Amino acid sequence: MIKSYKKLFENNKNWVKEINSQNPNFFEKLAQGQSPQFLWIGCSDSRVPANELTGTAQGDIFVHRNIANMVIHTDMSMLSVLDYSINVLGVKHIMVVGHYGCGGVNAAMGNKQVGLIDNWLCNIKDVYRLYEAELDAIEDQVKRSNRLVELNVQEQVFNLTKTSIVQNAWANGRSLLVHGIIYDIHDGLLKDLNITVGDTSQIDPVYKFDVDLNTQQ
Ligand code: ZN
């Protein structure tokens, strides 16, 4: 584990050297712009870095991270990332990536006050309440936490599909898939939850917006 602040800059120089030795035009090309195909909505946890664990390079994934990979409809930061990535960058896939052993999810399962974050974690408690019978029936604490991590990802996928941003993209004939994924910090593997959504057919009617003609192209 790196503890020295200066070491980060040393590492950065070595990293640039390494890339330049393999591809001298890499940074020049990258500076011309980005057109990533993927939006990653993941947890802020330091053990879940989008590019490293997918073996992708800079420019490949547009990233938004917050505690417990939440999609909260009043979160201007998340909404701005979502709108920009779909309507300007033209991403084709949105991935909500949760991870087992998530500190945010574990804290939400407990009753201790942590601080301001309690208000953020309340959104995970709402997910717990939706699946209370299933979750309460799981005696093992770790297994119950893992299941809540999965259900939380599923609900955040649904939360994305409830936004007018995603619904308008579909109404405009855009190919956009929203995926739910789990990262296992114990073995480093990604698991697709197979709950991919690509249209409004699974959305509860109360969340379906009329198509906004102003946004049709
Ligand atoms: Zn986490």
Side-chain angles (χ1 to χ4, degrees), residues 40-61:
W40 171 288
I41 299 178
C43 184
S44 300
D45 193 302
S46 60
R47 299 165 296 177
V48 194
N51 282 123
E52 283 93 331
L53 66 88
T54 52
T56 49
Q58 306 91 294
D60 286 336
I61 305 184

Side-chain angles (χ1 to χ4, degrees), residues 43-45 47-48 66-69 99 101-105:
C43 184
S44 300
D45 193 302
R47 299 165 296 177
V48 194
N66 61 39
I67 290 171
N69 41 270
H99 67 102
C102 183
V105 168

